[in-house]
């Protein structure tokens, strides 16, 4: 018998079944109380449809033609949703979810383990906050973040 099958029998002896296994769906963040599965979902949306920026304060932005998607981001992570004045090339309405300021900084920290393509942007955004507002380092990091946004989007 192959090792894979022996392993499978071993797992079966543990009597773990879908009805007795502990669900991870309702595990919540100690910091915000949000379900981790929801935070991971928002991180995936940001990775695919969003960007992180810093003008006068940190911000996380997602734009999409799916109003239900941006509404769900808002429901999970707060912020605001509004219609963007521009339309797509096919005439569809674009919606924007945005969270900024301290809320964006805190959300960024919560999402960090789940981000993939935007993790570098998130690290820069977090680093910006460690330097005084008028410092050269903050300006350099802001320029770097805006440059990354143009490359990745």
């Amino acid at each position: 018998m192959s090792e894979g099958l022996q392993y499978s029998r071993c797992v079966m002896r543990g009597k773990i079944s879908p009805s007795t296994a502990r669900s991870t769906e309702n595990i919540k963040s100690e910091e915000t109380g949000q379900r981790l599965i929801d935070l991971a979902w928002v991180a995936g949306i940001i990775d695919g449809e969003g960007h992180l920026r810093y003008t006068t304060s940190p911000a996380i932005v997602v734009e999409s033609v799916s109003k239900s998607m941006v509404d769900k981001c808002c429901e999970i992570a707060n912020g605001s949703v509004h219609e963007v004045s521009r339309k797509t090339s096919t005439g569809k309405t674009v919606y924007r979810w945005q969270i900024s300021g301290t809320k964006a900084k805190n959300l960024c920290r919560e999402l960090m383990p789940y981000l993939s393509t935007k993790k570098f942007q998130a690290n820069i955004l977090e680093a910006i906050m460690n330097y005084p507002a008028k410092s050269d380092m903050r300006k350099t990091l802001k320029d770097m973040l805006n440059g990354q946004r143009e490359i990745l989007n």
Side-chain angles (χ1 to χ4, degrees):
M1 191 175 279
S2 74
E3 284 187 44
L5 291 176
Q6 289 172 353
Y7 174 77
S8 295
R9 278 196 307 177
C10 181
V11 170
M12 294 305 288
R13 276 191 222 134
K15 296 184 181 174
I16 295 175
S17 68
S19 61
T20 60
R22 183 169 176 248
S23 171
T24 58
E25 279 188 30
N26 293 315
I27 296 174
K28 294 186 176 185
S29 162
E30 291 178 15
E31 193 169 317
T32 63
Q34 294 287 17
R35 292 184 333 153
L36 297 183
I37 195 166
D38 290 335
L39 292 173
W41 183 85
V42 170
I45 297 301
I46 292 167
D47 269 340
E49 303 285 334
H51 66 271
L52 291 81
R53 63 179 169 83
Y54 192 105
T55 50
T56 57
S57 67
I60 302 171
V61 180
V62 170
E63 288 187 352
S64 175
V65 296
S66 171
K67 185 159 184 340
S68 62
M69 183 181 73
V70 293
D71 283 343
K72 186 171 180 179
C73 288
C74 190
E75 177 187 320
I76 293 168
N78 297 314
S80 62
V81 173
H82 64 274
E83 192 174 306
V84 178
S85 58
R86 69 176 173 81
K87 304 270 188 202
T88 66
S89 60
T90 58
K92 292 183 180 178
T93 301
V94 178
Y95 300 94
R96 176 185 293 145
W97 165 70
Q98 180 171 323
I99 187 167
S100 56
T102 304
K103 290 179 181 180
K105 182 183 92 168
N106 294 340
L107 179 62
C108 190
R109 187 178 307 118
E110 283 287 304
L111 298 178
M112 195 69 77
Y114 309 107
L115 290 170
S116 179
T117 61
K118 301 294 177 13
K119 186 172 275 207
F120 187 67
Q121 287 183 10
N123 283 320
I124 295 171
L125 189 66
E126 198 167 38
I128 289 171
M129 304 305 291
N130 294 327
Y131 295 94
K134 303 284 184 186
S135 71
D136 288 341
M137 190 62 182
R138 185 177 264 200
K139 182 182 179 333
T140 299
L141 289 168
K142 284 169 63 173
D143 291 344
M144 185 185 293
L145 179 62
N146 290 334
Q148 279 295 310
R149 193 175 93 206
E150 290 168 10
I151 292 167
L152 293 173
N153 288 329

